Amino acid sequence: MAHHREGRSHGHHNNSSAHALAQGLGWFSIALGAIEVFGGRSVARWLGMEQHETLIRAYGVREIVKGVGILTSKDPTPWVWGRVAGDALDLATLGKGLSDPRAHRDNVMIAMGAVAGATALDIYCANALTGESDRSNREQRWDYSDRSGLPRSPNEMRGAARDFEMPRDMRIPDALRPWTQPQAPGTPQPSM
Amino acid sequence: MKALRWHGKGDIRCDTVPDPQIEQPRDAIIKVTSCAICGSDLHLYDHFMPGMKKGDIMGHEFMGEVVEVGQEAKSKLKVGDRVVIPFTIICGECDQCKRGNFSVCERTNRNAELAATAFGHTTAGLFGYTHLTGGYPGGQAEYVRVPFADTTHIKVPNGLTDEQVLFLGDIFPTGWQAAVQCDIQPTDTVAIWGAGPVGQMAIRSAILLGAKQVIAIDRLPERLSMAKAGGAITINFDEESVIERLNQLTQGKGPEKCIDAVGMESHVSLRQPDTIYDRAKQAVMLESDRPHVLREMIYVCRPAGVISVPGVYGGLVDKLPFGAVMNKGLTIRTGQTHVNRWSDDLLRRIEEGQIDPSFVITHTVGLEQGPEMYEIFRDKKDGCIKVVLKTS
């Protein structure tokens, strides 16, 4: 590679624990999805939400798709963020069940606790995946403090383009810049 | 010829494709000598912008030599001319072009109806930037057909290197317009979110236009080091509160002028819970853009201040505090860059040595290495801030 680069670098480290966690979440997704798809009726009965059996099966399909996505994609980050969004849907559905007199309130609370725990893990994993490349980059520090692009120090160059003629359509109305435009005598004052 | 083509999310390939031909009398064919990967190309790479098709040629920041000229462009261009091509294709004749609003040229988007459906009205045709903006083949290639070439070009003298003038086609005028939109006064504090290539150009532009204080906000040390070199005070948002630090630097009043050089893919972090909300909504297609920077700017900007948005947004954002915009009396200025409005003035400033935009280049490779450079640039590896691709 004809690679031109003029920064200074120090150290390098790659962290893949977030990817390992994502793999675990992928398998968890598939297992949970399979339970919801094939045991949708049992899950619905246990929650006392029999009327939502079809929805639970649909959520199961969603879980399986996400699990496969996490396990097969090169970058699982968006799939794990998708799990976070799915957790929010699960919580919203269960929350609705709490106000349903037919639901088994204690079981719904248990399910909500489990989903909240999974949500925390999903957010942690998604955030870690998002930041993984950043961390390794941060540890490999590049210093461009010699690249100003200006012929003299920024302080000396400050205002060097004041000859620029500001186009009328980009000027801020005088009334909107009281901190820079001292009021001239006789200037109308805003009324309330 | 060789060209970098989009094949899907995260999939850019260097392919062999047919050479472009003159199709219209105002066309010209350019032999590309240098081109760059722009931050906004990453929105296509990550497939956050709709309207790409498999096989589209990427790239809207390029320059080269004229090798063929259509009949109606011959009065303005000749074979051998050295030109930078603005990323906005302009007719020079419509109402908007006559007003200098080149990025909303009414005639160059050949998919104008598509753009009007999405945005209400058409915008200018752009090179290599989705079929919403015309589906024109881009400049990350050995040759490019330039439509409306008699008006869509910036002639550059031979005494300047490609690296000095290449960015006249996009990031330099984009950073400049971002600062100009702020109507900077000598007492102003200008806060700039994002110290990528456009942010770096905006920092230098704000300094040259005379801002009292310029503040750059990012999290990557290499970008912050370059921002500091250009005269900015830096805030690393992974290490400190942006709001608190900005208020501290402005005696609690907030910056008068705020520039969003980040756009639709703002960083997702546990320190900023709204970014998690946005990312989750984006994952299930309930929101297309992540507007954390806009929210933060609106919150911290001084009342009666200006918010300037050169960062690219593509569609819908959620939970934007417009009540704060209204009650604080903020002015919002946005838009793709009217490149040709600024290019003569900026070329003069480069020639006079007031600025050398090549400072931002961190990687120069051959065109065929483009696909791997997309990944390096996207993942911010290897200290990468700006990639230039050479065709020979």
Side-chain angles (χ1 to χ4, degrees), chain A residues 32-47:
Chain A
L32 179 63
I35 289 170
E36 288 176 323
V37 168
F38 299 112
R41 180 172 298 173
S42 303
V43 173
R45 269 192 206 143
W46 182 73
L47 291 168

Side-chain angles (χ1 to χ4, degrees), chain B residues 28-37 58-67 77 80-87 127 137-146 152-171 339 347 350 356-358 361 364 367 386-392:
Chain B
I29 304 293
I30 308 297
K31 182 180 189 305
V32 175
T33 53
S34 300
C35 54
I37 303 177
M58 299 285 295
H60 56 267
E61 201 167 27
F62 58 98
M63 64 176 294
E65 183 186 324
V66 177
V67 292
L77 279 177
D81 280 347
R82 188 171 178 239
V83 289
V84 172
I85 304 300
F87 74 96
F127 289 99
Q140 287 166 8
E142 289 177 308
Y143 294 90
V144 187
R145 177 178 82 91
V146 178
T152 307
H153 71 266
I154 303 159
K155 279 188 192 172
V156 289
N158 288 324
L160 297 169
T161 64
D162 276 16
E163 286 72 14
Q164 284 176 292
V165 294
L166 172 62
F167 304 132
L168 280 171
D170 185 349
I171 59 169
V339 176
L347 176 59
I350 293 170
D356 178 358
S358 67
I361 302 169
T364 302
L367 182 68
K386 188 68 179 176
V387 180
V388 169
L389 307 169
K390 307 293 267 190
T391 53
S392 54

